Amino acid sequence: MIQRVTVPGLFPPPRYAHASVVEAGTKLAFLAGAVPLDADGKLVGEGDPVRQARQVMANLERQLEAVGSDLAHVVATDVYVVSDDTSVLTQVWDVVEASGLSTGPHSSTLIGVACLGYTGQLVEITATAVVPEQAGTHVSGEVRP
């Protein structure tokens, strides 16, 4: 079970929760940053943070699916955007919100940064999600110790 908390006495967040609490015994997935690369490793949306954000969300959904989860079970994200312009950060957040990820809402931090790991990369999102228990669910992908 996920409990999303907006803290009384703090400024109400516009479209996210201050905290998410997950009951003990729940399986969690800690996802590496989703990046705007296609399956061949090519950058999608060079120079376009909105297009990159859409690719990042598509990749994040695939990561979640691979571990048996989905956007509805995300409890926290960090959204990194290469920009010091809050309007650009807002454009990226609008893509996040339109994806359904902010439904809940989940706890999130939106961060303007100087650069990210790939040349031309403007957006990256890390996430933590609950992996719901479902009969017959198989988690696919390579498992490393």
Side-chain angles (χ1 to χ4, degrees), residues 87-113:
S87 70
V88 174
L89 274 67
T90 299
Q91 291 172 10
V92 169
W93 183 256
D94 288 344
V95 173
V96 171
E97 185 176 35
S99 74
L101 180 59
S102 63
T103 302
H106 72 294
S107 301
S108 187
T109 301
L110 179 61
I111 310 160
V113 298

Side-chain angles (χ1 to χ4, degrees), residues 115-119 121 124:
C115 70
L116 291 166
Y118 293 98
T119 301
Q121 180 184 359
E124 185 163 336

Side-chain angles (χ1 to χ4, degrees), residues 18-43:
H18 286 120
S20 297
V21 179
V22 180
E23 284 185 26
T26 299
K27 186 186 290 187
L28 295 176
F30 299 88
L31 282 68
V35 298
L37 302 180
D38 65 16
D40 296 322
K42 291 182 150 188
L43 181 71

Side-chain angles (χ1 to χ4, degrees), residues 1-71:
M1 180 176 88
I2 304 168
Q3 177 188 8
R4 303 179 198 279
V5 179
T6 300
V7 180
L10 292 181
F11 183 76
R15 295 177 289 214
Y16 59 91
H18 286 120
S20 297
V21 179
V22 180
E23 284 185 26
T26 299
K27 186 186 290 187
L28 295 176
F30 299 88
L31 282 68
V35 298
L37 302 180
D38 65 16
D40 296 322
K42 291 182 150 188
L43 181 71
V44 173
E46 187 169 344
D48 185 346
V50 169
R51 190 160 169 229
Q52 286 195 19
R54 289 184 183 126
Q55 182 66 40
V56 166
M57 289 307 305
N59 291 347
L60 180 62
E61 285 188 81
R62 294 201 61 197
Q63 287 175 270
L64 288 163
E65 181 181 305
V67 298
S69 193
D70 57 29
L71 293 175

